[in-house]
Amino acid sequence: MTSRLSMRRTLLALLTAGACAAGFAQTSAPAWPQKQIRLLVAAPAGSAPDLIARLISDKMSKGLGQPVVVDNRPGAGGIIAMNQLKAAPADGYTLALPQAAVLVVTPFTYKEANYDAERDFETVAMVGKTPMLFVANNNHPAKTLAEANAMAKAAPEKVSIGNPTRTSIPHLAAELIGQKADVQFQQVPFANTPQGNQGVLSGDINIYTDGTGPLMQLVRSGRVKALAVASETELPGLEGIPLANKTVPGLNVWGWFLMQAPKGTPAAVIQRLNAEVNRAMAEADVLAKFREFGTYPTPGSVAD
């Protein structure tokens, strides 16, 4: 009887100790996040991805209780930023906000791009999308995309059309005009968005295309002319700008932005980040800013 009682006491002590140890392990694991989060942007300051990242990161900082700091890493079609994300620990403290071309064009156009969107990264959330906008220098005679096309057809390679960087979505949108409308523009790639903006403002190029974000302030201030926007229908905030598909059927070209983390980042961290991004995009001032940029939020779950 004594030995049985002793055994029961021993087992009870072991179970109690195990439960205490498990409870200690659960309570001692630090809650995420405990420090600053870095958000890599594969584009320079002032570009559409940068503007969007700064809006979202400010709101996320408040929701997470830790700073979310934008770290611009432009160059090489996004390879610099995405390689840094791929090499980062999968702990939720390094994220990236790449634009469409970084994930779907660069891997096919740069041998050095040894990353794959699905193999190497976890997609946290879709953030927004923006149609391509075609603008012209105020002194250029073309007032519409149809007039610009007619001029390029009459004098091939004499009408210049710029883009923020080679193989970007804006670059491909301009090439698509040439294919669909059978015209030849002089394609002029710049190193980044600010240089492209300056190029069309100064008249170094006749026409320029980019996402609506970095161009709408120039249009609204009258510093450039809006020739056309490559969306299927007229959009809120872009009223009065002609649709490109009315001149070139099928010319509907959108860029998009999403947030990613290194592969293997804990699911709970991904879900928390997704919730914070969606919460940020629902706030009135963010919606107003997105509208001002001609960018449209695309909230949804991780599965979406």
Side-chain angles (χ1 to χ4, degrees), residues 99-132:
Q99 60 271 36
V102 170
L103 296 178
V104 301
V105 180
T106 293
F108 294 101
T109 52
Y110 288 81
K111 288 189 293 185
E112 299 82 2
N114 59 352
Y115 60 82
D116 179 272
E118 294 187 38
R119 180 193 68 209
D120 299 318
F121 309 121
E122 306 280 359
T123 297
V124 171
M126 286 292 293
V127 176
K129 60 180 185 175
T130 181
M132 296 300 105

Side-chain angles (χ1 to χ4, degrees), residues 164-189:
T165 185
R166 188 174 71 87
T167 74
S168 61
I169 298 300
H171 179 192
L172 298 182
E175 293 284 4
L176 195 59
I177 291 180
Q179 289 185 11
K180 286 181 172 291
D182 191 26
V183 297
Q184 292 183 346
F185 288 101
Q186 179 192 1
Q187 295 283 349
V188 182

Side-chain angles (χ1 to χ4, degrees), residues 17-32 34:
C20 289
F24 178 76
Q26 289 177 359
T27 55
S28 65
W32 181 92
Q34 290 291 307

Side-chain angles (χ1 to χ4, degrees), residues 148-156 159 181-184:
N149 287 352
M151 293 174 65
K153 187 168 284 191
V159 180
D182 191 26
V183 297
Q184 292 183 346

Side-chain angles (χ1 to χ4, degrees), residues 284-297:
D285 58 335
V286 172
L287 289 171
K289 277 291 185 184
F290 268 50
R291 178 73 57 86
E292 184 181 317
F293 297 154
T295 301
Y296 302 87

Side-chain angles (χ1 to χ4, degrees), residues 136-155:
N137 176 270
N138 280 336
N139 293 324
H140 188 68
K143 294 182 175 62
T144 65
L145 184 59
E147 289 180 7
N149 287 352
M151 293 174 65
K153 187 168 284 191

